Amino acid sequence: MTYRPDIDGLRAVSILSVLLFHAKFSLFSGGYIGVDVFFVISGYLIGSIVLNDAQRGTFSLADFYVRRIRRILPALFAALAVTAVLALFLLSPQELKSFSQNLAATTLFSSNIVYYLKSGYFENAAEMNPLLHTWSLGVEQQFYIVFPLAVLALLPYGRRVWIAVLAAAAAASFALGVSLVRDHPVAAFYLLPPRLWELVLGALLAFGAVPDIRGRGVRELACALGAALILASVFALTEATAFPGYAALLPCLGAALIIHAGRSGPTVVGRVLTLRPMVFIGLISYSMYIWHWPLMVFARFYKGRDLSTKETLILLAAIAAVSVLSWRLIEVPFRKPRAASGRRPSMVFARTGWAMAGLAGVGLIGHLTNGLPQRFSDYAPQDISGRELYKEHTCFLETDQPPEAWPGLESCRIGSLKADAPTALLWGDSFAAHYVPGLQNVADTLPFNIVQYTASGCPPIKDLSVNARPNCQEFNSRVEEIIDRNGIRIVIMAARWEWYMDTNALDLRRLHETVETLLNRGIRIVVLGQSPVFRFRNPYDHTYFMKSERAYSITGQAADQPVITATRGAQFVDTSDYFCDPDPCKALPLCRIKDDQGFYFLDQGHFSAHGSILLVQSIQEVLRAPDPSYGE
């Protein structure tokens, strides 16, 4: 193969997009598409290698896998080993057990499958999983297993048959991804079958499925269009975008255009990509991808919050230094071993097997020992109640449940029925459901009945489509019918507002229209503001390791302001005042997370039963009587 420096430059674009997205620079809201660009590049390079060997009659599965092992596993295994040591010292037993499971899965090329299976709404925050980024390696490694076997089976039939079969596989994979992204978005994101087309797209280019571009002008136009598609994806897409689906066409076609145009000759975009700094970043891009995420996660663990801009820049510099060392000291030597034993397939497979067994064994030990709680002599976690009162699968619907699963007012009433009293509807996501214990505690003293209408990850906003929550829009569309049919006069709206704003999914106009629609029906509306959300996963772990009963809320109270603006005419209640005090030295409020009776929270942000009761008691007078300005 002829070396393509422009492809290393394209790798640089990919890794920088991912890195700046993970560093939480809001401008790069779609930076996650860098992974999709990587997939296309990987498919092109693997396809080129296989085609060249097949045409020369030298294709060998053993040689193919040896090259993949040398390219991928040394740096990965080194990063896993270092991450495991850091996890041993920094993670609580619960966190270490989860990490150990992920470690074993990553070692066995199946982390993407495990993350798909563990993707429940109440799973630990994904962004605090040090190995979350390895899902893409799982997809690639599974492709490396399947693709050469397919080529080997098709070897006797020639390149035209290969192209026809690959094109059919890509079309089927793309259709599968489009169909899954709505109803099974987690499967569409993590699993190989709906992602296969991205890798095969690159392989099709390598196999010559698209004629070369001869004219300079057409080549320049194709390359510029490819760059525009990638940049548009980085800056215009968000985490709220249904992805991969149709949206993945933007970065993948963009990468394909740049790669294909570059085959035929130089372009302006190609010259930018071949600048020495771009090529160098491309060379270290694999190490940078492997190392950046664990370092980011552990930095946030250590700080107990998101990093400041200054801290982020320091961390990015450290990631760059570690990546250069990893590339120079691990990637390069292992890719071209000097000793003859390092080149023999049998020796490579044997050493790889031992390394895999060792890392998987470490993961198994961490799992079987429940995260080695023996590391801490007085560590005694406790179950925190609250979630069991949400009425899950009935009045709090999970992601895969249709709206029809909500059983109605009688089954979802909170407290006993009060005759001739108006009815209030508690509407929202799990950050509405966590008020149920508190409302249950005061229900008999309130001058109205309360009914729970909540769904996982589904904010109380009509006509809003939420990625990964396929039934949300239909669930919310039924609210007006429920209100009219049952004579509901009060609606209590609550959600994890900042979550939808952070992903740009919160359409403030639609929220305002939802409130206006209800007000025009004569409904009294109470909007409960953003409750605190923390960096920790378990409040007990925070108090044990940080030796503090306070923690910084990562959201701040600024998350409430857009909601207040969008819900004019409703009664807004600040729910963080009870727990949090503004810190004049910090941008984030400092919040109490427990008292002598127990913890206020059961995870990173949902109220415990104790916290819910205290909060609702503190706002019950507001719930009892309308705001004096209501109706003016």
Side-chain angles (χ1 to χ4, degrees):
M1 289 178 57
T2 302
Y3 172 61
R4 294 272 305 271
D6 60 318
I7 289 182
D8 272 329
L10 189 57
R11 279 196 179 108
V13 173
S14 303
I15 189 59
L16 291 175
S17 300
V18 172
L19 194 64
L20 295 172
F21 169 72
H22 283 161
K24 297 183 179 295
F25 288 104
S26 58
L27 181 63
F28 299 87
S29 60
Y32 56 84
I33 60 89
V35 172
D36 303 87
V37 175
F38 273 128
F39 284 163
V40 178
I41 294 172
S42 183
Y44 176 75
L45 296 177
I46 295 305
S48 299
I49 291 169
V50 170
L51 178 63
N52 289 342
D53 288 351
Q55 288 181 330
R56 291 197 306 264
T58 60
F59 179 71
S60 163
L61 278 177
D63 288 344
F64 175 85
Y65 290 133
V66 165
R67 281 182 288 191
R68 290 300 87 203
I69 287 171
R70 288 178 185 157
R71 175 70 178 91
I72 293 174
L73 297 189
L76 173 62
F77 285 178
L80 291 179
V82 171
T83 304
V85 172
L86 292 173
L88 184 66
F89 287 99
L90 295 177
L91 300 188
S92 70
Q94 178 187 356
E95 293 163 340
L96 185 61
K97 180 176 180 179
S98 177
F99 171 85
S100 299
Q101 295 165 349
N102 298 335
L103 175 64
T106 301
T107 305
L108 300 174
F109 314 145
S110 57
S111 61
N112 59 320
I113 298 173
V114 169
Y115 297 148
Y116 161 64
L117 296 174
K118 293 173 64 176
S119 62
Y121 186 65
F122 285 94
E123 286 296 327
N124 289 332
E127 64 176 19
M128 298 309 290
N129 174 359
L131 299 180
L132 180 68
H133 65 315
T134 63
W135 73 267
S136 64
L137 300 181
V139 170
E140 283 204 52
Q141 289 158 348
Q142 290 154 24
F143 173 73
Y144 296 153
I145 294 172
V146 172
F147 182 70
L149 293 175
V151 171
L152 194 62
L154 296 170
L155 208 54
Y157 301 102
R159 192 171 63 172
R160 288 189 177 181
V161 174
W162 303 352
I163 290 173
V165 172
L166 286 178
S173 170
F174 179 72
L176 177 64
V178 169
S179 66
L180 287 178
V181 79
R182 183 186 184 280
D183 296 326
H184 303 282
V186 178
F189 187 87
Y190 280 122
L191 300 184
L192 173 63
R195 290 281 193 170
L196 181 65
W197 70 272
E198 302 182 27
L199 292 137
V200 171
L201 177 61
L204 285 169
L205 294 177
F207 282 17
V210 182
D212 288 342
I213 303 174
R214 298 300 181 187
R216 177 64 184 262
V218 177
R219 191 167 66 241
E220 291 283 6
L221 180 62
C223 219
L225 177 59
L229 289 174
I230 292 175
L231 293 176
S233 303
V234 170
F235 298 122
L237 301 185
T238 72
E239 288 180 90
T241 304
F243 202 88
Y246 288 113
L249 285 171
L250 296 176
C252 292
L253 290 180
L257 285 168
I258 291 174
I259 292 170
H260 189 60
R263 290 182 62 173
S264 303
T267 62
V268 172
V269 171
R271 283 198 292 272
V272 173
L273 293 176
T274 55
L275 293 173
R276 293 184 66 181
M278 295 293 287
V279 172
F280 182 72
I281 294 173
L283 290 173
I284 66 172
S285 61
Y286 177 66
S287 281
M288 189 171 282
Y289 185 78
I290 291 299
W291 289 96
H292 85 281
W293 183 247
L295 295 177
M296 284 183 173
V297 169
F298 284 127
R300 290 166 184 156
F301 261 124
Y302 178 76
K303 287 293 185 178
R305 55 171 172 79
D306 283 337
L307 304 182
S308 66
T309 301
K310 179 182 178 180
E311 291 167 340
T312 298
L313 294 176
I314 293 172
L315 178 61
L316 291 176
I319 289 169
V322 170
S323 302
V324 172
L325 291 174
S326 173
W327 170 72
R328 189 68 188 86
L329 301 179
I330 301 175
E331 283 195 67
V332 173
F334 274 92
R335 213 179 296 179
K336 298 179 179 179
R338 295 179 180 178
S341 61
R343 296 191 292 270
R344 289 202 304 267
S346 60
M347 186 61 70
V348 172
F349 292 141
R351 290 175 176 174
T352 300
W354 282 113
M356 291 175 64
L359 286 169
V362 169
L364 182 62
I365 291 171
H367 169 71
L368 294 177
T369 59
N370 292 313
L372 292 168
Q374 301 87 346
R375 293 174 295 156
F376 314 105
S377 57
D378 57 343
Y379 181 81
Q382 53 192 268
D383 292 329
I384 304 175
S385 66
R387 177 179 167 182
E388 73 280 2
L389 300 176
Y390 285 16
K391 299 182 181 178
E392 290 184 76
H393 303 290
T394 55
C395 306
F396 177 71
L397 300 187
E398 293 294 347
T399 305
D400 58 350
Q401 289 185 276
E404 296 82 4
W406 188 71
L409 269 68
E410 292 302 319
S411 299
C412 294
R413 183 178 294 111
I414 300 173
S416 57
L417 176 64
K418 292 183 283 290
D420 301 324
T423 298
L425 189 73
L426 175 65
W427 177 27
D429 60 12
S430 65
F431 275 61
H434 70 181
Y435 292 107
V436 169
L439 292 171
Q440 183 78 49
N441 182 64
V442 301
D444 291 340
T445 68
L446 294 175
F448 48 78
N449 297 299
I450 311 172
V451 172
Q452 179 185 352
Y453 189 70
T454 54
S456 169
C458 188
I461 305 173
K462 282 186 58 187
D463 300 324
L464 179 65
S465 177
V466 180
N467 186 33
R469 298 292 180 262
N471 296 314
C472 181
Q473 190 167 356
E474 185 181 352
F475 179 81
N476 286 334
S477 69
R478 294 167 174 255
V479 166
E480 289 182 58
E481 179 188 349
I482 291 172
I483 288 173
D484 292 342
R485 189 173 65 241
N486 298 282
I488 290 172
R489 307 307 305 152
I490 305 165
V491 173
I492 302 171
M493 300 170 63
R496 185 174 177 175
W497 302 111
E498 56 87 22
W499 199 2
Y500 308 106
M501 281 188 288
D502 278 353
T503 60
N504 294 321
L506 175 56
D507 186 326
L508 294 175
R509 179 180 57 80
R510 284 197 177 100
L511 176 58
H512 177 69
E513 290 173 355
T514 300
V515 170
E516 284 290 303
T517 298
L518 296 179
L519 289 174
N520 290 337
R521 290 171 175 265
I523 305 296
R524 176 192 167 202
I525 303 174
V526 178
V527 178
L528 302 181
Q530 172 70 58
S531 52
V533 177
F534 306 97
R535 179 58 62 199
F536 58 70
R537 304 192 215 185
N538 182 293
Y540 174 84
D541 289 345
H542 176 85
T543 58
Y544 180 88
F545 292 105
M546 303 302 290
K547 308 301 180 186
S548 173
E549 296 182 357
R550 290 172 174 259
Y552 284 105
S553 169
I554 63 174
T555 57
Q557 291 167 304
D560 282 341
Q561 192 55 53
V563 180
I564 295 173
T565 302
T567 58
R568 290 187 303 271
Q571 196 172 348
F572 186 85
V573 180
D574 187 341
T575 59
S576 62
D577 279 351
Y578 184 88
F579 302 101
C580 304
D581 302 308
D583 188 332
C585 300
K586 300 285 184 179
L588 301 175
L590 188 61
C591 307
R592 297 177 299 280
I593 61 173
K594 73 181 296 288
D595 58 22
D596 293 340
Q597 282 71 50
F599 287 96
Y600 300 147
F601 303 90
L602 58 85
D603 55 19
Q604 76 274 11
H606 294 97
F607 288 128
S608 65
H610 177 54
S612 180
I613 289 170
L614 291 178
L615 189 282
V616 172
Q617 284 178 341
S618 73
I619 66 171
Q620 64 175 315
E621 292 306 318
V622 178
L623 296 176
R624 288 174 186 278
D627 184 341
S629 63
Y630 175 72
E632 292 182 1

